[in-house]
Amino acid sequence: MQTLLLWLFYISSFYAFIPGIITRFFGFRVFRRGTVEGTFALTFDDGPDPVYTPQLLDLLKQYGMKGTFFIVGSHAERHPEIVKRIHDEGHLIGIHNYVHKSNWLMRPKSVRSQLKRTDDIIYKITGERPTYYRPPWGSLNLFDFAKNSGYRIVLWSSMFGDWRIRTGADTLTRRMKLKLKAGEVMLLHDCGNTMGADPEAPEQMLIALRRVLEEAKHQDLTSIRIDEMMTQERRAASMKLSFGKRILVSLWLLWEKAFHKVFRLETATPEDPMLHFRLTSYHGKMIDLADGTQLEKGDQVLELHFDNKKLFEIGSRSRSEMQIAIQMIRAVQHDLPAVAQMVLDRPEFHKIKGLYAVTMITRGPEQFGFILEDLPPGLFASSTRVYLKLLLSVIHPKGQSRLKEGSRRMEPKTLVMPIGVLLSRYAVKDTRLHDAAGSHLEEDLDLNELPLANTAKSLSS
């Protein structure tokens, strides 16, 4: 019996407590504090609440501040109009599980299910997929810690006990003012209907927050969204690059602008671009497509290109190849519906056979509906290989060392997605889709089940 208890202690420590300590105290694989002057982050957990969240939104609007709301999926289901207002007023929405339950008490499959269910709810209401996650009580299990299911985990640098009504507005005000400084990530709660919280506690939080926002205005501090704070961090980090690499990156981005202008590339999502494209004719070898047709020379295609600046930003904030792949996968998933809608809406795109790109992806694109083919040997394949290796050395966290580790695997490939697959998977489901695409294929991709892809870059032929 004693041996069994000892083993249970070891297992629970390895599964829950050790990942929690490493992330909470050392910040490994999580974001919990910024460093850029002039800004801090207000984050709100457990909502939306039909009484207090609207009051909070009114207060933030009055002071011109932005916040990040980590919402509980079951609460969002009951109050979709509040979630929509949060989104429409420019605040960031993240996931706080479907029910407010610790990840220490759930199996990995249960956590993934909670994430997926809440992700779908947010997407249905706002039309955008969330990319940030705060587990309830900040408790991570081993699989959250090790695999990071595609969401960037956000913790906090200060918390104030605002879930207890006895703390009171005066004590909260004093505690919050002591922590009111640049880079701080403050944890507050706009709902008191979770275990251990008092239902009326947010009322005291709102009184204290008004006082703190008034003080922030006097100190010329602004509350910004977590994603904006992380962008500031990346920009600050990019300034620390060596002089030679800064020159290389500057020239690279200058070339990007010239390339886009010369080839008249368009952007799928101008507000946050990842995929650029142009209408062109295919010039490669014949490829058999999944719908039984063939892609031949002269057929019209949309040629895809990743955004170089976005790739560099992803590489700058990622500490591993896995993190780069996850962020790229999510960005592509975000842009493909916009590309599909353009194909439906614009007459000049109605004759295209599919999407086309050249890349170094070795695993993963098939899950999106792409066909992966070897690039025929020759001058184009050789020059593409050199270019993509240069790109990888710039954006990858390991730089040149990554090239030495796996040069044999980094061979350029051709990616093709038949137009029917694009429309069936990613376009709005209406009668035009059935006419253009034929039969339905799989529903939206579940990133939790995706194999990870190597860093990729599209290049024209």
Side-chain angles (χ1 to χ4, degrees):
M1 184 66 179
Q2 188 175 12
T3 302
L4 177 60
L5 290 175
L6 187 62
W7 272 107
L8 288 174
F9 173 77
Y10 287 147
I11 292 171
S12 63
S13 297
F14 189 62
Y15 183 72
F17 299 120
I18 292 176
I21 290 171
I22 292 174
T23 54
R24 185 75 61 84
F25 293 101
F26 298 99
F28 186 60
R29 291 192 177 178
V30 300
F31 181 81
R32 58 177 183 167
R33 184 190 294 274
T35 58
V36 178
E37 292 298 318
T39 62
F40 67 106
L42 290 170
T43 67
F44 304 95
D45 289 6
D46 299 358
D49 182 274
V51 175
Y52 297 113
T53 305
Q55 295 179 42
L56 172 58
L57 292 171
D58 291 341
L59 183 60
L60 294 174
K61 181 185 290 186
Q62 178 183 343
Y63 284 89
M65 303 291 187
K66 299 299 181 186
T68 300
F69 290 75
F70 292 98
I71 67 175
V72 175
S74 57
H75 295 173
E77 265 185 333
R78 290 195 292 270
H79 308 291
E81 73 287 350
I82 302 178
V83 177
K84 188 175 189 305
R85 181 183 169 188
I86 294 171
H87 176 264
D88 290 347
E89 293 186 4
H91 304 288
L92 181 65
I93 297 176
I95 296 176
H96 202 49
N97 282 358
Y98 179 75
V99 295
H100 198 277
K101 184 177 181 181
S102 172
N103 289 10
W104 290 358
L105 304 177
M106 293 189 289
R107 297 175 301 160
K109 183 178 180 180
S110 299
V111 176
R112 288 197 300 269
S113 175
Q114 295 241 352
L115 286 166
K116 178 66 164 60
R117 190 171 180 181
T118 307
D119 189 307
D120 289 342
I121 291 168
I122 294 171
Y123 179 71
K124 183 178 180 180
I125 297 170
T126 68
E128 292 187 9
R129 295 282 182 186
T131 57
Y132 299 91
Y133 173 51
R134 174 177 286 166
W137 295 291
S139 56
L140 299 170
N141 64 44
L142 177 65
F143 293 90
D144 301 319
F145 172 76
K147 297 180 69 173
N148 189 356
S149 58
Y151 302 95
R152 185 66 192 269
I153 298 174
V154 178
L155 297 183
W156 57 85
S157 58
S158 57
M159 60 190 299
F160 311 100
D162 65 313
W163 58 89
R164 295 186 297 264
I165 195 168
R166 69 174 181 269
T167 303
D170 292 341
T171 299
L172 285 175
T173 302
R174 184 177 68 255
R175 291 175 179 176
M176 292 173 69
K177 284 185 175 180
L178 286 173
K179 291 292 186 177
L180 184 60
K181 61 187 74 172
E184 201 72 18
V185 178
M186 295 184 173
L187 167 61
L188 297 167
H189 299 80
D190 58 324
C191 179
N193 294 326
T194 55
M195 187 178 68
D198 297 322
E200 295 82 19
E203 182 177 354
Q204 299 298 306
M205 182 275 291
L206 289 171
I207 295 172
L209 181 59
R210 180 179 293 277
R211 299 168 181 171
V212 172
L213 292 181
E214 193 67 36
E215 178 64 24
K217 186 170 67 173
H218 291 317
Q219 294 188 28
D220 200 24
L221 286 170
T222 302
S223 174
I224 60 175
R225 296 161 36 137
I226 282 293
D227 57 344
E228 293 172 351
M229 179 173 279
M230 293 170 71
T231 297
Q232 289 184 356
E233 294 295 301
R234 293 194 298 270
R235 289 172 180 167
S238 68
M239 298 300 292
K240 299 177 183 178
L241 294 174
S242 66
F243 177 76
K245 193 160 187 176
R246 287 203 303 269
I247 294 296
L248 177 61
V249 171
S250 298
L251 292 174
W252 178 42
L253 295 179
L254 185 63
W255 173 87
E256 166 96 339
K257 291 182 179 179
F259 183 89
H260 284 207
K261 188 172 183 179
V262 170
F263 290 96
R264 298 180 179 179
L265 295 187
E266 299 184 59
T267 303
T269 54
E271 70 282 357
D272 186 23
M274 181 58 170
L275 291 179
H276 304 277
F277 60 88
R278 65 168 180 155
L279 180 64
T280 188
S281 297
Y282 177 68
H283 298 292
K285 67 176 184 179
M286 185 181 69
I287 297 176
D288 293 322
L289 302 180
D291 59 3
T293 62
Q294 295 176 323
L295 181 64
E296 301 178 292
K297 288 184 179 180
D299 287 338
Q300 288 191 324
V301 292
L302 280 188
E303 182 181 86
L304 299 182
H305 303 259
F306 284 145
D307 185 274
N308 279 336
K309 184 177 180 181
K310 186 70 171 284
L311 286 174
F312 177 68
E313 290 176 352
I314 290 174
S316 298
R317 69 172 179 258
S318 302
R319 284 171 287 189
S320 69
E321 183 175 331
M322 179 184 72
Q323 289 186 4
I324 290 179
I326 289 172
Q327 293 301 316
M328 289 180 63
I329 287 169
R330 294 195 68 84
V332 170
Q333 185 193 32
H334 177 268
D335 278 15
L336 283 174
V339 175
Q341 199 59 45
M342 287 184 179
V343 171
L344 286 174
D345 293 340
R346 295 172 55 171
E348 65 269 30
F349 292 164
H350 289 177
K351 293 184 179 180
I352 67 171
K353 278 285 190 73
L355 306 182
Y356 164 79
V358 175
T359 180
M360 277 186 169
I361 291 176
T362 58
R363 292 180 297 150
E366 296 91 346
Q367 305 296 327
F368 286 101
F370 283 102
I371 298 168
L372 189 64
E373 295 280 340
D374 291 331
L375 197 65
L379 179 61
F380 175 64
S382 300
S383 60
T384 300
R385 185 182 303 109
V386 171
Y387 173 80
L388 293 179
K389 287 185 178 182
L390 174 63
L391 171 70
L392 188 59
S393 71
V394 173
I395 71 168
H396 198 277
K398 295 182 181 179
Q400 290 291 332
S401 64
R402 174 64 182 88
L403 297 177
K404 296 175 183 178
E405 289 174 6
S407 59
R408 293 181 182 178
R409 291 179 292 167
M410 294 189 297
E411 295 295 329
K413 303 280 186 178
T414 298
L415 289 181
V416 177
M417 179 188 290
I419 192 63
V421 174
L422 173 71
L423 297 179
S424 293
R425 287 196 177 195
Y426 302 105
V428 176
K429 300 295 189 289
D430 59 19
T431 54
R432 292 177 302 170
L433 182 150
H434 292 283
D435 294 338
S439 60
H440 287 286
L441 297 180
E442 298 174 359
E443 295 182 356
D444 289 342
L445 187 64
D446 181 358
L447 282 178
N448 295 324
E449 304 302 325
L450 267 181
L452 298 177
N454 286 332
T455 305
K457 166 68 183 179
S458 299
L459 187 69
S460 63
S461 59

